[in-house]
Amino acid sequence: PRLATLFAALAPTGAETRVIGGAVRDVLYGRTPHEIDLATTALPDVVMRAAAAAGIKAVPTGIEHGTMTLVVAGTPYEVTTLREDFETDGRYAKVRFGGDFEQDARRRDFTVNALSLTPDGRLHDYVGGLDDLAARRIRFIGDAATRIREDYLRVLRFFRFNASHGRSEEHTSE
């Protein structure tokens, strides 16, 4: 019900909003997600106004990267505007907001974290995440070295996800 409230609050913006990443991955693994993140084509100020109009507390937790935390009945949800990184230094990125879910998926770290789900239950997989879930394979999107240069912490995330979700280290790039 809280997630439905959140989707209903964002619907008047006319933007598309989906559950993204780890929550989708965890549900498909048969696990209960610890948090549910959403991605939207709405710009941050539009999300903030829609939340306020619906009486939902909105906190600009990472507004420069398009991330707001919306609190529905005591439960926080991170809602992030789709974006593309145009400059990175190995840890921080400068971003431009976008409106293309496939492009946003291709900038993420691992195929299993790039899945998205619409409010009506349609699953979107632009990078082979479903096949990797089935194989319990943790694989970088595109070239692994490029993904790591964008954010060095992805190396640690790779080993953490491989230990908790994977079964093989042999496939690290497309």
Side-chain angles (χ1 to χ4, degrees), residues 14-60:
E16 183 174 5
T17 303
R18 299 180 188 173
V19 175
I20 193 87
V24 179
R25 175 202 66 227
D26 287 349
V27 166
L28 292 172
Y29 269 133
R31 299 176 180 176
T32 301
H34 296 289
E35 61 188 24
I36 299 176
D37 296 332
L38 294 94
T40 184
T41 58
L43 293 173
D45 61 318
V46 174
V47 172
M48 299 290 277
R49 283 195 308 271
I56 294 173
K57 179 181 178 181
V59 181

Side-chain angles (χ1 to χ4, degrees), residues 21-171:
V24 179
R25 175 202 66 227
D26 287 349
V27 166
L28 292 172
Y29 269 133
R31 299 176 180 176
T32 301
H34 296 289
E35 61 188 24
I36 299 176
D37 296 332
L38 294 94
T40 184
T41 58
L43 293 173
D45 61 318
V46 174
V47 172
M48 299 290 277
R49 283 195 308 271
I56 294 173
K57 179 181 178 181
V59 181
T61 49
I63 199 78
E64 67 279 356
H65 292 103
T67 301
M68 291 85 24
T69 300
L70 304 185
V71 182
V72 180
T75 300
Y77 297 89
E78 281 194 357
V79 179
T80 302
T81 300
L82 296 181
R83 63 186 188 233
E84 61 180 281
D85 303 341
F86 67 88
E87 185 179 318
T88 62
D89 66 2
R91 185 61 198 111
Y92 299 100
K94 292 184 181 175
V95 303
R96 275 189 286 269
F97 298 126
D100 184 323
F101 275 92
E102 181 173 356
Q103 184 177 354
D104 185 78
R106 292 186 180 283
R107 59 163 281 287
R108 293 177 178 271
D109 53 6
F110 309 117
T111 61
V112 298
N113 289 341
L115 301 165
S116 62
L117 187 66
T118 61
D120 64 359
R122 284 182 293 128
L123 182 66
H124 295 268
D125 176 15
Y126 302 106
V127 294
L130 288 174
D131 289 340
D132 289 339
L133 278 173
R136 299 194 66 84
R137 179 176 47 234
I138 303 304
R139 186 168 55 96
F140 284 94
I141 295 170
D143 177 62
T146 300
R147 293 283 86 83
I148 293 166
R149 274 192 306 276
E150 291 167 348
D151 183 348
Y152 298 123
L153 288 181
R154 288 176 170 167
V155 171
L156 298 175
R157 287 174 52 88
F158 172 78
F159 287 109
R160 182 170 58 97
F161 278 106
N162 200 55
S164 63
H165 292 78
R167 81 164 83 131
S168 160
E169 294 180 23
E170 59 192 88
H171 294 70

